[in-house]
Amino acid sequence: MKQRLIKWVPFIGLLIPWIGVSCGGSGNSIKMKGSDTEVNLAVNLAEKFTEQDPNFSIAISGGGSGLGITSLLNGQADIANSSRPLSEKERQQFKDKNIELKTVIFAEDATAFVVHKDLPIEEVTIATLGEILSGKIANWSEIIDADFPINIYGRQSSSGTHSFVKKKLAIEFTNAAKEMTGNAQIIEGVKADRTGIGYVGAGYVAEDPVASQGIKVLKIIEKEGEIAISPLDQAAINQGIYFFQRPLYQFVLAESWEKVRPFIAFERSAKGGKLIEEHGYYILNNQQDEI
């Protein structure tokens, strides 16, 4: 019988969820850590996979892309879920340790910028967004008819989403930005703060609209005069015209590849693809593997 076990593992003063999915039997054990953007999807994929193949057990935890990658370096995971590519420093660290990796690009995500439902704003330009997140614009009155200081709800520097947004906007985040541990915390922060703005995985918003009540997803304008595009617009994502869309990665230890190959194959099956889409992510037509 399938069991779903949840325990809390302390990590640098935080509580990180560790979710074990098992269908009994000794079988193969896979450890997967990393991106909070991918963690809910990973849990559901693992549950459905172990239902059809009871020889596997899969333990999953979040904590951010950086944590997952570090776990690979330290031999504490087989798969690192990551919402960003490896940095040059990380590539060198794996090279120095003679650790070979296999890279799987299995889906595409979009980052959504959210505000309180009552804030009178529906869209924002890339330039203005960069000035908000860097602290150059510190009051909503500078761009809309609302005299409130802007409160920013973001992620820790270990987060792939943090790195992605920073790189896309070519900014440094203001020190006043609040560092949250995941999508849920950011959503809850913005829901409770009429002056707040935050960024989360669009898949997280699309997957659970009830949890997202109380917030508004902003449309993004890349350049003045261009149309505003929502991260929830699948047609726009398929055309590659939303500014904050990105591939989702799984880095796999080469020595673990044969063990995890059946799970990767399940992700790419029709059933796995349906789960990916149900979570608000997008299927790549050219899913890739590379060493």
Side-chain angles (χ1 to χ4, degrees):
M1 179 179 297
K2 183 179 74 169
Q3 297 178 331
R4 189 164 183 246
L5 309 174
I6 301 178
K7 63 180 180 178
W8 293 92
V9 180
F11 175 76
I12 315 181
L14 300 176
L15 290 177
I16 304 298
W18 183 277
I19 302 171
V21 180
S22 174
C23 287
S26 55
N28 293 305
S29 177
I30 297 172
K31 292 182 179 179
M32 188 186 312
K33 297 186 179 185
S35 171
D36 284 306
T37 298
E38 299 174 39
V39 70
N40 289 339
L41 170 60
V43 169
N44 283 345
L45 285 167
E47 286 181 334
K48 297 303 181 183
F49 171 66
T50 53
E51 282 177 2
Q52 75 174 34
D53 193 335
N55 293 316
F56 281 82
S57 63
I58 304 178
I60 303 166
S61 64
S65 301
L67 174 61
I69 292 166
T70 298
S71 298
L72 286 186
L73 276 166
N74 296 336
Q76 298 173 333
D78 301 294
I79 303 173
N81 290 328
S82 180
S83 55
R84 63 168 176 82
L86 293 175
S87 68
E88 288 304 316
K89 179 180 178 181
E90 289 164 343
R91 289 181 183 277
Q92 187 61 48
Q93 288 174 326
F94 281 104
K95 184 176 180 180
D96 291 344
K97 286 193 171 187
N98 294 317
I99 298 175
E100 292 186 34
L101 295 181
K102 188 113 173 146
T103 300
V104 176
I105 301 175
F106 73 103
E108 189 146 14
D109 182 36
T111 299
F113 292 83
V114 299
V115 295
H116 190 277
K117 67 178 178 63
D118 294 332
L119 195 68
I121 184 173
E122 306 294 331
E123 56 194 41
V124 65
T125 66
I126 294 298
T128 299
L129 188 59
E131 291 185 332
I132 290 172
L133 298 183
S134 65
K136 292 180 180 178
I137 294 177
N139 193 294
W140 286 111
S141 63
E142 298 183 54
I143 56 174
I144 60 175
D145 185 19
D147 187 9
F148 302 120
I150 298 174
N151 289 325
I152 299 168
Y153 294 82
R155 296 291 306 281
Q156 314 101 313
S157 59
S158 63
S159 161
T161 306
H162 172 103
S163 299
F164 172 68
V165 172
K166 175 181 171 180
K167 184 176 180 180
K168 288 291 286 184
L169 292 174
I171 62 164
E172 293 294 334
F173 284 99
T174 173
N175 291 332
K178 298 173 175 62
E179 294 189 350
M180 316 299 281
T181 57
N183 290 315
Q185 290 80 6
I186 291 174
I187 291 289
E188 291 305 310
V190 173
K191 284 167 68 173
D193 184 356
R194 189 179 177 188
T195 73
I197 182 171
Y199 53 88
V200 297
Y204 184 85
V205 178
E207 176 195 356
D208 193 349
V210 174
S212 300
Q213 289 178 356
I215 58 98
K216 182 189 305 182
V217 177
L218 295 180
K219 294 181 179 180
I220 301 298
I221 302 170
E222 187 167 347
K223 295 178 182 178
E224 290 286 356
E226 295 186 349
I227 63 170
I229 299 173
S230 169
L232 306 181
D233 182 347
Q234 185 165 353
I237 299 297
N238 289 342
Q239 294 174 54
I241 59 175
Y242 180 67
F243 188 76
F244 294 100
Q245 64 185 92
R246 57 180 174 166
L248 296 180
Y249 300 86
Q250 290 174 319
F251 301 116
V252 183
L253 292 178
E255 65 183 33
S256 300
W257 179 250
E258 289 305 317
K259 177 173 67 173
V260 307
R261 186 194 292 271
F263 176 69
I264 300 299
F266 173 76
E267 288 182 334
R268 292 175 167 177
S269 69
K271 190 172 184 178
K274 183 178 179 181
L275 282 171
I276 290 170
E277 291 180 329
E278 286 175 351
H279 276 259
Y281 300 106
Y282 308 97
I283 302 297
L284 295 173
N285 294 326
N286 57 339
Q287 292 171 322
Q288 304 172 43
D289 292 344
E290 60 181 27
I291 290 290

